[in-house]
Amino acid sequence: MSAPLTSHRRAAISAAATRWKPSGAASAAIAAGLLVTAAFALVSLDLYNRNERRLLHGRARELAAVLAATVPTTQTPLASAAELAAATDGSRQKFTTFMKAYAGPGRQFASASLWRLKPAPPAPLAVVGATPVLLSMPAEEQRLLARAHPGVLSLTGVMGSSRPTLGFEFGAANSRPRFAVYAEAQLPTNRRSAIERNSAFSDLYYVLYLGHSRRNADLVVTNVDKLPIHGGQASEVVPFGAGAFTLVVAAKGSLGGAFFRDLPWLIGIVGAMLALAAGVTADRLAQRRLAAERLAGELDRVATQTRDLYREQRGIAQTLQHALLPDAVADIGGFQTRALYVPATSGVDVGGDWYDIVAVGDRRVVLIIGDVSGHGLDAATTMALMRHAALAYAAQDPRPASVLRELSTFVHNRDKRDFFATVLCALIDAEAHRLSVASAGHLAPLLLEKANGGYVDLDNGPAIGVAQNGLGYRESTTTLPAGGTLVAFTDGLVERRGEVIDVGLARLAQLAVNQQLPLDQLIAKLARDLVSDNHHDDTAIVGIRWTA
C-alpha cells in the first residue's frame, strides 16, 4: 500500500498546478496571438486560392493557344489541295501526288479524299491513305457536306467507330463544279494524347471535347483516368475553322509552388507556438508587398518604353511600305484615278499589298492590284519585284491574261518560290467602251453605274506561285457604262474573322452603290466605314472613273 501524502508533497503539487495555470493576461495574449495568426492564415489562404485560379486560367489560355495554332497547319494543305482541284477540274492524279506528303501512315492525316459536291451528288473522286471512316456513316457524311461552305474549314467527329477520328473539310471557293477536300486524323483509342508527355503541361489534368459539349461521347483526348474532373477547373472554347473545341483543365497540384501551398499551415503552426510569429510574418508580407510594388513600377517603365519603341518601329514600317508603293496616282486623260493604302493596326512588319495604274495608249489604262502572302521584308521585296515585273509585261502587252501568264511564268522560273500572290489585272478602254479583266485568285472588282452596281464576272485562275505555268488565265469582257466607276481592292477591306467573305462583299456593294460622291471621297468613305479600328491585315483600294 502506498504511503499517505505528506503535507510537503501536497504543497509541491499545488505549486506546480499554480505555475502552469495561465493568467487572464496570458490567455488574452494567447487568444490575440491565435486570432492574428488565424487572420493571416486565412488571408494567405485566400491569396493562394486566387493566385491558383488566376494561374489555372492562364494555363488554360496557353493550352488553348497551342490548339488554336494548329489551325493553319491543318487548313493550309487542305485549302491548297482544294484550290488545286478547282484549278485542274478535279484531277485525281494531281490531288494524289500533292496529298501523299500529308496523308498515310505516320503522316499528318490518316486519310485524305477529294469530293465533287455539285452539280452531281457528293462522291469521293480520289482517296489517299486509309479509307475514310466517314464513308461508313452516311448520315454524318450528308450533314458535313451539306453545311460545307467554300473557303471555310469545317470540323466533325467520327467518334462512334472502331477507328475514332476527327474529320476536316475544306471547299474550294468560286469553283464550278464545286470541289471539297476531306481529311481524317485518327484519335488514340484510349484518348491519350502526346501533349500529355509535354513537360510544359505535365502539371495539368485536361479534357478536350468536340464542339461546345462536355459529354463523354464528344471526348477527343484527355489525361484523366476517370471523368469528370474534380476540383477547381478552368475552361476555354477554342475556335477551329467553322467549328470549335471545348478545353477543360484542372491542376494536378499547386501551380504557384509548394511554399505558397503550405504557407497557411506554416503561419498557423508558427503562430500557435509563438505569438510574435504573426508580427514577423506581417513584416515579411509587407516587405514582399514593397518589392512587388517596386517590380510593378519597373514593369510599368519597361512597358512604356516598349510602347514607344513599338510606335517608332511601326512608323518605320509604314514609311517603308509607302516607299514601295506609287507616290501618288494621277489622273490620266479621260480617267479619274484615286488609290488608298491602309496599313494593319497591329504588328510592325511590312505587308504585301500593292497596286498600279498605267496608261497604255489614248484613253486606255491598265489597273493592277495584288496581295503577296505573308509579312515582313521578304513579302515587301517580293511585292516590289512582282510590281515592277507586272509593269514591264503590261508595257509589252496590256492584255490582262497575257500579263498574268507572263508574271506566273516569271515566278515559276525563279529558284525560290516560298510564297504565292493574288493578282487582278484590268484593261479599261474608254474609247471602245470595254472592260477586260483577268484574275489570279483575286477578288472581283466592283463596277458602279450611278445608283446601280455589281461585281464583275471573273474566270478566276490560280494564284501566282501556285500553278505550274500561266496557261490557266482567261479574260472576262464587260461593256463599260457611261460615267461608270471601277473599284478594286484587297481582301483586308471585306474579310472579318469568323465571317464568310460573301457577307463582307455584300456589305461593300451595299455601301458603295448608295453613294453619289466624288471619287476621292468615295474611296475615303469605303476605307473609313469598312476597315475596322483593329484590323490585322493591310488594305489597298483603287478607284477609276471615266467620263464617257
Side-chain angles (χ1 to χ4, degrees):
M1 180 180 291
S2 60
L5 293 175
T6 64
S7 59
H8 292 290
R9 293 183 65 185
R10 287 196 297 269
I13 294 174
S14 176
T18 300
R19 286 197 301 270
W20 287 104
K21 182 179 180 179
S23 64
S27 298
I30 294 173
L34 291 176
L35 288 174
V36 171
T37 301
F40 276 108
L42 291 175
V43 169
S44 176
L45 181 61
D46 181 64
L47 291 175
Y48 168 75
N49 289 332
R50 291 186 183 184
N51 188 57
E52 287 292 296
R53 289 193 293 271
R54 179 181 62 81
L55 291 175
L56 183 59
H57 283 281
R59 299 304 300 282
R61 287 191 293 271
E62 291 176 9
L63 188 51
V66 171
L67 294 173
T70 63
V71 174
T73 62
T74 302
Q75 177 171 312
T76 298
L78 302 185
S80 299
E83 293 302 330
L84 178 62
T88 59
D89 195 25
S91 170
R92 295 177 174 84
Q93 179 182 0
K94 292 187 177 181
F95 173 80
T96 302
T97 301
F98 179 81
M99 288 304 297
K100 278 183 178 179
Y102 301 96
R107 304 290 186 182
Q108 181 178 358
F109 304 109
S111 170
S113 53
L114 175 63
W115 294 67
R116 184 190 300 271
L117 301 182
K118 291 182 179 179
L125 300 177
V127 176
V128 180
T131 302
V133 180
L134 189 67
L135 291 177
S136 64
M137 307 178 71
E140 183 62 29
E141 173 189 327
Q142 292 180 3
R143 281 195 298 270
L144 174 65
L145 298 179
R147 63 173 182 262
H149 295 287
V152 178
L153 179 67
S154 298
L155 175 66
T156 188
V158 187
M159 304 298 191
S161 165
S162 59
R163 288 191 296 138
T165 61
L166 280 179
F168 308 95
E169 180 275 336
F170 192 95
N174 300 325
S175 66
R176 294 293 184 277
R178 283 187 55 193
F179 294 100
V181 176
Y182 174 73
E184 292 181 345
Q186 188 167 353
L187 296 176
T189 304
N190 61 0
R191 296 300 196 271
R192 296 286 182 166
S193 173
I195 195 175
E196 178 180 357
R197 300 186 291 273
N198 189 326
S199 61
F201 303 102
S202 60
D203 55 352
L204 294 176
Y205 293 114
Y206 65 88
V207 185
L208 187 66
Y209 298 97
L210 181 64
H212 298 270
S213 167
R214 293 195 183 185
R215 300 180 305 150
N216 288 347
D218 295 317
L219 174 64
V220 178
V221 288
T222 183
N223 65 346
V224 180
D225 294 328
K226 186 177 181 181
L227 295 175
I229 297 178
H230 298 287
Q233 302 175 15
S235 64
E236 291 284 336
V237 175
V238 185
F240 202 96
F245 292 105
T246 296
L247 174 68
V248 181
V249 299
K252 291 183 179 180
S254 175
L255 298 176
F259 173 77
F260 292 103
R261 179 196 61 200
D262 298 335
L263 183 59
W265 291 101
L266 293 174
I267 293 176
I269 294 173
V270 173
M273 295 175 61
L274 185 62
L276 294 179
V280 174
T281 304
D283 181 67
R284 292 181 62 187
L285 292 176
Q287 294 298 327
R288 290 183 179 182
R289 179 178 179 180
L290 291 175
E293 290 176 351
R294 288 194 295 269
L295 178 59
E298 290 294 330
L299 292 176
D300 286 340
R301 285 191 289 272
V302 171
T304 300
Q305 294 173 357
T306 302
R307 284 193 297 270
D308 292 341
L309 180 60
Y310 171 82
R311 283 193 291 267
E312 180 181 358
Q313 291 176 338
R314 180 165 180 78
I316 295 173
Q318 292 179 2
T319 301
L320 178 58
Q321 174 69 61
H322 284 292
L324 294 172
L325 293 173
D327 294 334
V329 177
D331 289 344
I332 302 173
F335 297 93
Q336 284 184 312
T337 59
R338 294 293 184 271
L340 186 62
Y341 172 78
V342 184
T345 58
S346 61
V348 299
D349 284 339
V350 180
D353 292 24
W354 56 283
Y355 57 85
D356 251 310
I357 302 175
V358 59
V360 292
D362 189 19
R363 297 178 61 79
R364 289 202 311 166
V365 296
V366 171
L367 162 66
I368 305 173
I369 186 169
D371 186 0
V372 178
S373 62
H375 287 79
L377 291 179
D378 287 343
T381 303
T382 302
M383 177 266 283
L385 182 66
M386 294 189 66
R387 177 191 166 213
H388 290 97
L391 288 176
Y393 294 135
Q396 295 175 359
D397 185 351
R399 291 177 300 173
S402 175
V403 173
L404 295 185
R405 281 194 294 267
E406 295 295 336
L407 192 59
S408 176
T409 303
F410 169 72
V411 172
H412 176 69
N413 290 335
R414 296 187 66 207
D415 292 336
K416 181 180 180 182
R417 300 193 308 277
D418 55 355
F419 69 92
F420 68 90
T422 65
V423 182
L424 176 78
C425 184
L427 174 62
I428 305 172
D429 190 333
E431 194 69 34
H433 301 282
R434 184 173 59 248
L435 169 67
S436 300
V437 183
S439 173
H442 202 86
L443 296 172
L446 184 63
L447 183 60
L448 304 174
E449 179 186 6
K450 298 181 180 179
N452 299 315
Y455 291 98
V456 176
D457 290 334
L458 288 181
D459 190 351
N460 219 325
I464 302 296
V466 173
Q468 295 300 314
N469 53 55
L471 299 180
Y473 302 109
R474 293 183 290 272
E475 295 177 5
S476 299
T477 302
T478 303
T479 301
L480 289 181
T485 301
L486 186 70
V487 179
F489 51 90
T490 56
D491 55 9
L493 186 65
V494 293
E495 278 191 340
R496 299 289 185 275
R497 288 186 177 181
E499 179 182 87
V500 179
I501 196 169
D502 290 345
V503 177
L505 292 171
R507 182 168 49 238
L508 168 61
Q510 182 179 8
L511 178 63
V513 168
N514 295 328
Q515 305 298 326
Q516 300 296 324
L517 297 172
L519 185 57
D520 55 348
Q521 296 182 22
L522 173 64
I523 298 302
K525 180 173 181 59
L526 294 180
R528 182 175 61 252
D529 292 354
L530 297 180
V531 179
S532 65
D533 294 334
N534 190 29
H535 59 286
H536 302 278
D537 195 7
D538 304 332
T539 302
I541 315 172
V542 181
I544 300 180
R545 178 173 293 172
W546 47 92
T547 57

PDB file of all heavy atoms in Angstrom, residues 330-355:
ATOM      1  N   ALA A 330      -2.042  59.728-110.349  1.00  0.00           N
ATOM      2  CA  ALA A 330      -2.501  60.936-111.025  1.00  0.00           C
ATOM      3  C   ALA A 330      -3.578  60.588-112.049  1.00  0.00           C
ATOM      4  O   ALA A 330      -3.652  59.462-112.551  1.00  0.00           O
ATOM      5  CB  ALA A 330      -1.328  61.628-111.720  1.00  0.00           C
ATOM      6  N   ASP A 331      -4.432  61.594-112.330  1.00  0.00           N
ATOM      7  CA  ASP A 331      -5.454  61.406-113.351  1.00  0.00           C
ATOM      8  C   ASP A 331      -4.793  61.203-114.718  1.00  0.00           C
ATOM      9  O   ASP A 331      -3.753  61.787-115.036  1.00  0.00           O
ATOM     10  CB  ASP A 331      -6.382  62.615-113.406  1.00  0.00           C
ATOM     11  CG  ASP A 331      -7.279  62.685-112.170  1.00  0.00           C
ATOM     12  OD1 ASP A 331      -7.381  61.663-111.475  1.00  0.00           O
ATOM     13  OD2 ASP A 331      -7.849  63.760-111.912  1.00  0.00           O
ATOM     14  N   ILE A 332      -5.403  60.319-115.519  1.00  0.00           N
ATOM     15  CA  ILE A 332      -4.934  60.042-116.875  1.00  0.00           C
ATOM     16  C   ILE A 332      -6.027  60.504-117.823  1.00  0.00           C
ATOM     17  O   ILE A 332      -7.219  60.454-117.480  1.00  0.00           O
ATOM     18  CB  ILE A 332      -4.635  58.545-117.040  1.00  0.00           C
ATOM     19  CG1 ILE A 332      -3.583  58.111-116.011  1.00  0.00           C
ATOM     20  CG2 ILE A 332      -4.142  58.232-118.443  1.00  0.00           C
ATOM     21  CD1 ILE A 332      -3.333  56.627-115.971  1.00  0.00           C
ATOM     22  N   GLY A 333      -5.655  60.960-119.006  1.00  0.00           N
ATOM     23  CA  GLY A 333      -6.603  61.548-119.933  1.00  0.00           C
ATOM     24  C   GLY A 333      -7.893  60.759-120.050  1.00  0.00           C
ATOM     25  O   GLY A 333      -7.884  59.609-120.475  1.00  0.00           O
ATOM     26  N   GLY A 334      -9.008  61.383-119.677  1.00  0.00           N
ATOM     27  CA  GLY A 334     -10.299  60.722-119.737  1.00  0.00           C
ATOM     28  C   GLY A 334     -10.632  59.892-118.516  1.00  0.00           C
ATOM     29  O   GLY A 334     -11.725  59.351-118.410  1.00  0.00           O
ATOM     30  N   PHE A 335      -9.716  59.773-117.549  1.00  0.00           N
ATOM     31  CA  PHE A 335      -9.939  58.943-116.373  1.00  0.00           C
ATOM     32  C   PHE A 335      -9.600  59.734-115.112  1.00  0.00           C
ATOM     33  O   PHE A 335      -8.610  60.459-115.071  1.00  0.00           O
ATOM     34  CB  PHE A 335      -9.055  57.680-116.397  1.00  0.00           C
ATOM     35  CG  PHE A 335      -9.346  56.759-117.539  1.00  0.00           C
ATOM     36  CD1 PHE A 335      -8.631  56.853-118.723  1.00  0.00           C
ATOM     37  CD2 PHE A 335     -10.333  55.796-117.420  1.00  0.00           C
ATOM     38  CE1 PHE A 335      -8.881  55.998-119.771  1.00  0.00           C
ATOM     39  CE2 PHE A 335     -10.586  54.931-118.469  1.00  0.00           C
ATOM     40  CZ  PHE A 335      -9.867  55.031-119.652  1.00  0.00           C
ATOM     41  N   GLN A 336     -10.446  59.563-114.080  1.00  0.00           N
ATOM     42  CA  GLN A 336     -10.094  59.991-112.729  1.00  0.00           C
ATOM     43  C   GLN A 336      -9.592  58.764-111.971  1.00  0.00           C
ATOM     44  O   GLN A 336     -10.213  57.700-112.049  1.00  0.00           O
ATOM     45  CB  GLN A 336     -11.312  60.556-111.992  1.00  0.00           C
ATOM     46  CG  GLN A 336     -11.724  61.945-112.414  1.00  0.00           C
ATOM     47  CD  GLN A 336     -12.873  62.440-111.553  1.00  0.00           C
ATOM     48  OE1 GLN A 336     -13.854  61.738-111.342  1.00  0.00           O
ATOM     49  NE2 GLN A 336     -12.740  63.648-111.058  1.00  0.00           N
ATOM     50  N   THR A 337      -8.494  58.897-111.279  1.00  0.00           N
ATOM     51  CA  THR A 337      -7.930  57.750-110.551  1.00  0.00           C
ATOM     52  C   THR A 337      -7.610  58.163-109.127  1.00  0.00           C
ATOM     53  O   THR A 337      -7.100  59.252-108.882  1.00  0.00           O
ATOM     54  CB  THR A 337      -6.642  57.242-111.231  1.00  0.00           C
ATOM     55  OG1 THR A 337      -5.689  58.311-111.274  1.00  0.00           O
ATOM     56  CG2 THR A 337      -6.929  56.764-112.640  1.00  0.00           C
ATOM     57  N   ARG A 338      -7.936  57.298-108.192  1.00  0.00           N
ATOM     58  CA  ARG A 338      -7.610  57.511-106.783  1.00  0.00           C
ATOM     59  C   ARG A 338      -7.237  56.161-106.171  1.00  0.00           C
ATOM     60  O   ARG A 338      -7.786  55.117-106.556  1.00  0.00           O
ATOM     61  CB  ARG A 338      -8.792  58.099-106.002  1.00  0.00           C
ATOM     62  CG  ARG A 338      -9.192  59.502-106.418  1.00  0.00           C
ATOM     63  CD  ARG A 338      -8.097  60.522-106.072  1.00  0.00           C
ATOM     64  NE  ARG A 338      -8.534  61.866-106.395  1.00  0.00           N
ATOM     65  CZ  ARG A 338      -8.369  62.444-107.568  1.00  0.00           C
ATOM     66  NH1 ARG A 338      -7.796  61.757-108.565  1.00  0.00           N
ATOM     67  NH2 ARG A 338      -8.787  63.676-107.769  1.00  0.00           N
ATOM     68  N   ALA A 339      -6.302  56.197-105.209  1.00  0.00           N
ATOM     69  CA  ALA A 339      -5.876  54.969-104.521  1.00  0.00           C
ATOM     70  C   ALA A 339      -5.614  55.299-103.060  1.00  0.00           C
ATOM     71  O   ALA A 339      -5.245  56.430-102.711  1.00  0.00           O
ATOM     72  CB  ALA A 339      -4.629  54.380-105.170  1.00  0.00           C
ATOM     73  N   LEU A 340      -5.804  54.297-102.218  1.00  0.00           N
ATOM     74  CA  LEU A 340      -5.600  54.476-100.780  1.00  0.00           C
ATOM     75  C   LEU A 340      -5.052  53.174-100.207  1.00  0.00           C
ATOM     76  O   LEU A 340      -5.554  52.088-100.505  1.00  0.00           O
ATOM     77  CB  LEU A 340      -6.922  54.835-100.096  1.00  0.00           C
ATOM     78  CG  LEU A 340      -6.855  55.183 -98.605  1.00  0.00           C
ATOM     79  CD1 LEU A 340      -5.986  56.419 -98.391  1.00  0.00           C
ATOM     80  CD2 LEU A 340      -8.253  55.431 -98.052  1.00  0.00           C
ATOM     81  N   TYR A 341      -4.008  53.316 -99.409  1.00  0.00           N
ATOM     82  CA  TYR A 341      -3.417  52.152 -98.722  1.00  0.00           C
ATOM     83  C   TYR A 341      -3.605  52.348 -97.220  1.00  0.00           C
ATOM     84  O   TYR A 341      -3.247  53.390 -96.670  1.00  0.00           O
ATOM     85  CB  TYR A 341      -1.935  52.025 -99.058  1.00  0.00           C
ATOM     86  CG  TYR A 341      -1.227  50.971 -98.228  1.00  0.00           C
ATOM     87  CD1 TYR A 341      -1.367  49.622 -98.530  1.00  0.00           C
ATOM     88  CD2 TYR A 341      -0.458  51.337 -97.124  1.00  0.00           C
ATOM     89  CE1 TYR A 341      -0.737  48.666 -97.767  1.00  0.00           C
ATOM     90  CE2 TYR A 341       0.170  50.384 -96.355  1.00  0.00           C
ATOM     91  CZ  TYR A 341       0.033  49.047 -96.682  1.00  0.00           C
ATOM     92  OH  TYR A 341       0.656  48.099 -95.922  1.00  0.00           O
ATOM     93  N   VAL A 342      -4.193  51.344 -96.530  1.00  0.00           N
ATOM     94  CA  VAL A 342      -4.432  51.406 -95.088  1.00  0.00           C
ATOM     95  C   VAL A 342      -3.628  50.292 -94.431  1.00  0.00           C
ATOM     96  O   VAL A 342      -3.951  49.113 -94.598  1.00  0.00           O
ATOM     97  CB  VAL A 342      -5.925  51.242 -94.750  1.00  0.00           C
ATOM     98  CG1 VAL A 342      -6.143  51.406 -93.249  1.00  0.00           C
ATOM     99  CG2 VAL A 342      -6.757  52.257 -95.519  1.00  0.00           C
ATOM    100  N   PRO A 343      -2.559  50.612 -93.695  1.00  0.00           N
ATOM    101  CA  PRO A 343      -1.764  49.551 -93.053  1.00  0.00           C
ATOM    102  C   PRO A 343      -2.515  48.913 -91.901  1.00  0.00           C
ATOM    103  O   PRO A 343      -3.436  49.497 -91.330  1.00  0.00           O
ATOM    104  CB  PRO A 343      -0.514  50.305 -92.573  1.00  0.00           C
ATOM    105  CG  PRO A 343      -0.982  51.708 -92.375  1.00  0.00           C
ATOM    106  CD  PRO A 343      -2.022  51.964 -93.417  1.00  0.00           C
ATOM    107  N   ALA A 344      -2.109  47.676 -91.550  1.00  0.00           N
ATOM    108  CA  ALA A 344      -2.716  46.982 -90.411  1.00  0.00           C
ATOM    109  C   ALA A 344      -2.412  47.744 -89.126  1.00  0.00           C
ATOM    110  O   ALA A 344      -1.387  48.403 -88.992  1.00  0.00           O
ATOM    111  CB  ALA A 344      -2.173  45.553 -90.314  1.00  0.00           C
ATOM    112  N   THR A 345      -3.355  47.646 -88.157  1.00  0.00           N
ATOM    113  CA  THR A 345      -3.181  48.362 -86.895  1.00  0.00           C
ATOM    114  C   THR A 345      -2.337  47.588 -85.903  1.00  0.00           C
ATOM    115  O   THR A 345      -1.981  48.119 -84.863  1.00  0.00           O
ATOM    116  CB  THR A 345      -4.546  48.637 -86.254  1.00  0.00           C
ATOM    117  OG1 THR A 345      -5.227  47.387 -86.040  1.00  0.00           O
ATOM    118  CG2 THR A 345      -5.386  49.521 -87.146  1.00  0.00           C
ATOM    119  N   SER A 346      -2.044  46.311 -86.173  1.00  0.00           N
ATOM    120  CA  SER A 346      -1.224  45.517 -85.256  1.00  0.00           C
ATOM    121  C   SER A 346      -0.030  44.972 -86.004  1.00  0.00           C
ATOM    122  O   SER A 346      -0.097  44.673 -87.186  1.00  0.00           O
ATOM    123  CB  SER A 346      -2.048  44.364 -84.657  1.00  0.00           C
ATOM    124  OG  SER A 346      -2.502  43.516 -85.668  1.00  0.00           O
ATOM    125  N   GLY A 347       1.099  44.832 -85.306  1.00  0.00           N
ATOM    126  CA  GLY A 347       2.324  44.329 -85.911  1.00  0.00           C
ATOM    127  C   GLY A 347       3.131  45.435 -86.551  1.00  0.00           C
ATOM    128  O   GLY A 347       2.633  46.506 -86.884  1.00  0.00           O
ATOM    129  N   VAL A 348       4.414  45.181 -86.706  1.00  0.00           N
ATOM    130  CA  VAL A 348       5.303  46.178 -87.299  1.00  0.00           C
ATOM    131  C   VAL A 348       5.851  45.711 -88.648  1.00  0.00           C
ATOM    132  O   VAL A 348       6.571  46.442 -89.298  1.00  0.00           O
ATOM    133  CB  VAL A 348       6.479  46.491 -86.343  1.00  0.00           C
ATOM    134  CG1 VAL A 348       5.974  47.053 -85.042  1.00  0.00           C
ATOM    135  CG2 VAL A 348       7.327  45.250 -86.072  1.00  0.00           C
ATOM    136  N   ASP A 349       5.512  44.507 -89.078  1.00  0.00           N
ATOM    137  CA  ASP A 349       6.032  44.006 -90.347  1.00  0.00           C
ATOM    138  C   ASP A 349       5.339  44.676 -91.521  1.00  0.00           C
ATOM    139  O   ASP A 349       4.151  44.992 -91.472  1.00  0.00           O
ATOM    140  CB  ASP A 349       5.826  42.490 -90.448  1.00  0.00           C
ATOM    141  CG  ASP A 349       6.826  41.737 -89.595  1.00  0.00           C
ATOM    142  OD1 ASP A 349       7.869  42.346 -89.275  1.00  0.00           O
ATOM    143  OD2 ASP A 349       6.564  40.582 -89.257  1.00  0.00           O
ATOM    144  N   VAL A 350       6.090  44.856 -92.586  1.00  0.00           N
ATOM    145  CA  VAL A 350       5.557  45.426 -93.811  1.00  0.00           C
ATOM    146  C   VAL A 350       4.696  44.379 -94.510  1.00  0.00           C
ATOM    147  O   VAL A 350       5.021  43.202 -94.541  1.00  0.00           O
ATOM    148  CB  VAL A 350       6.716  45.866 -94.724  1.00  0.00           C
ATOM    149  CG1 VAL A 350       6.182  46.472 -96.011  1.00  0.00           C
ATOM    150  CG2 VAL A 350       7.597  46.865 -94.006  1.00  0.00           C
ATOM    151  N   GLY A 351       3.560  44.816 -95.073  1.00  0.00           N
ATOM    152  CA  GLY A 351       2.663  43.905 -95.759  1.00  0.00           C
ATOM    153  C   GLY A 351       3.018  43.760 -97.227  1.00  0.00           C
ATOM    154  O   GLY A 351       3.976  44.350 -97.726  1.00  0.00           O
ATOM    155  N   GLY A 352       2.199  42.972 -97.944  1.00  0.00           N
ATOM    156  CA  GLY A 352       2.481  42.689 -99.346  1.00  0.00           C
ATOM    157  C   GLY A 352       1.425  43.190-100.299  1.00  0.00           C
ATOM    158  O   GLY A 352       1.373  42.748-101.442  1.00  0.00           O
ATOM    159  N   ASP A 353       0.535  44.128 -99.868  1.00  0.00           N
ATOM    160  CA  ASP A 353      -0.476  44.675-100.766  1.00  0.00           C
ATOM    161  C   ASP A 353       0.161  45.717-101.692  1.00  0.00           C
ATOM    162  O   ASP A 353       0.974  46.527-101.244  1.00  0.00           O
ATOM    163  CB  ASP A 353      -1.602  45.317 -99.968  1.00  0.00           C
ATOM    164  CG  ASP A 353      -2.417  44.286 -99.202  1.00  0.00           C
ATOM    165  OD1 ASP A 353      -1.874  43.206 -98.931  1.00  0.00           O
ATOM    166  OD2 ASP A 353      -3.571  44.555 -98.884  1.00  0.00           O
ATOM    167  N   TRP A 354      -0.245  45.760-102.970  1.00  0.00           N
ATOM    168  CA  TRP A 354       0.321  46.706-103.913  1.00  0.00           C
ATOM    169  C   TRP A 354      -0.671  46.988-105.030  1.00  0.00           C
ATOM    170  O   TRP A 354      -1.644  46.253-105.217  1.00  0.00           O
ATOM    171  CB  TRP A 354       1.638  46.172-104.497  1.00  0.00           C
ATOM    172  CG  TRP A 354       1.545  44.840-105.157  1.00  0.00           C
ATOM    173  CD1 TRP A 354       1.479  43.625-104.550  1.00  0.00           C
ATOM    174  CD2 TRP A 354       1.477  44.572-106.561  1.00  0.00           C
ATOM    175  NE1 TRP A 354       1.399  42.622-105.459  1.00  0.00           N
ATOM    176  CE2 TRP A 354       1.399  43.165-106.719  1.00  0.00           C
ATOM    177  CE3 TRP A 354       1.495  45.364-107.704  1.00  0.00           C
ATOM    178  CZ2 TRP A 354       1.329  42.555-107.958  1.00  0.00           C
ATOM    179  CZ3 TRP A 354       1.436  44.752-108.943  1.00  0.00           C
ATOM    180  CH2 TRP A 354       1.348  43.365-109.064  1.00  0.00           C
ATOM    181  N   TYR A 355      -0.437  48.054-105.767  1.00  0.00           N
ATOM    182  CA  TYR A 355      -1.317  48.440-106.860  1.00  0.00           C
ATOM    183  C   TYR A 355      -0.555  49.343-107.818  1.00  0.00           C
ATOM    184  O   TYR A 355       0.483  49.904-107.486  1.00  0.00           O
ATOM    185  CB  TYR A 355      -2.557  49.182-106.333  1.00  0.00           C
ATOM    186  CG  TYR A 355      -2.228  50.403-105.522  1.00  0.00           C
ATOM    187  CD1 TYR A 355      -1.981  51.638-106.127  1.00  0.00           C
ATOM    188  CD2 TYR A 355      -2.145  50.321-104.124  1.00  0.00           C
ATOM    189  CE1 TYR A 355      -1.671  52.754-105.376  1.00  0.00           C
ATOM    190  CE2 TYR A 355      -1.835  51.441-103.369  1.00  0.00           C
ATOM    191  CZ  TYR A 355      -1.604  52.658-103.991  1.00  0.00           C
ATOM    192  OH  TYR A 355      -1.295  53.760-103.249  1.00  0.00           O
TER     193      TYR A 355
END
